[in-house]
Amino acid sequence: MKRLFACCSLGLALCMPNAVSADETVIGYIKTINDQTTIDESSGPIKASLGSPIHVGNVIKTDQNGAAGVTLKDNTILSIGPNTEFKIEAYQFEPQQDKLQLNASLLKGTLHYISGVIAKLKPEAVTVKTPTGVIAVRGTRFLVKVEE
């Protein structure tokens, strides 16, 4: 019986690294949230919750009373206001290979942006598009509102 238990424990231990390894496609997480927030993924919209992973191509949507806070891998902080649609178009954070990029679009609503490591190391690699223009980030913070 002890041998069987030892074999099962060894088998589980060998499987654990795959089970707990981080999903490398995750670029950030929902850190704060209130009211209704959804994440539009390629498979369809899902209700966001604390700790929901964010991937490239996701559209984060809040309702008229909603808000969400997102922290990306490079410590960029995004505060998304009510009635907002925000899409992450491209993201790369591999400083050792000089692969740094953050391109996003504010489709409507409000966004408070606080720079992370990407903007500090390579400011020209960060842009936020709006329906009427492009914000080139130069290593600080800003607040932008897009009205419908």
Side-chain angles (χ1 to χ4, degrees):
M1 185 68 173
K2 287 183 180 179
R3 273 190 143 168
L4 178 61
F5 180 73
C7 286
C8 289
S9 296
L10 179 61
L12 286 173
L14 292 173
C15 293
M16 289 301 284
N18 290 335
V20 296
S21 66
D23 180 354
E24 293 188 15
T25 63
V26 173
I27 63 168
Y29 294 95
I30 299 281
K31 295 293 188 173
T32 62
I33 194 167
N34 69 5
D35 216 24
Q36 182 68 34
T37 300
T38 60
I39 302 171
D40 284 359
E41 297 185 333
S42 58
S43 59
I46 61 167
K47 184 173 178 356
S49 60
L50 287 177
S52 291
I54 304 297
H55 301 87
V56 171
N58 285 167
V59 178
I60 303 165
K61 294 180 179 178
T62 60
D63 69 6
Q64 66 272 8
N65 299 316
V70 175
T71 302
L72 301 179
K73 288 169 80 175
D74 72 310
N75 288 326
T76 296
I77 298 172
L78 307 166
S79 298
I80 300 166
N83 202 22
T84 296
E85 292 185 22
F86 179 77
K87 181 176 185 179
I88 304 218
E89 308 276 357
Y91 185 87
Q92 288 186 317
F93 183 60
E94 297 178 46
Q96 297 84 7
Q97 285 86 37
D98 195 35
K99 293 181 179 179
L100 301 167
Q101 182 181 27
L102 171 56
N103 301 124
S105 295
L106 181 64
L107 307 170
K108 69 174 189 174
T110 57
L111 171 71
H112 181 214
Y113 169 95
I114 300 175
S115 296
V117 175
I118 293 174
K120 291 176 179 138
L121 295 177
K122 195 174 183 181
E124 67 275 12
V126 179
T127 59
V128 177
K129 295 178 187 172
T130 69
T132 57
V134 177
I135 299 167
V137 176
R138 295 297 179 253
T140 184
R141 64 174 58 195
F142 63 86
L143 176 65
V144 62
K145 181 176 184 179
V146 173
E147 295 180 339
E148 293 182 68

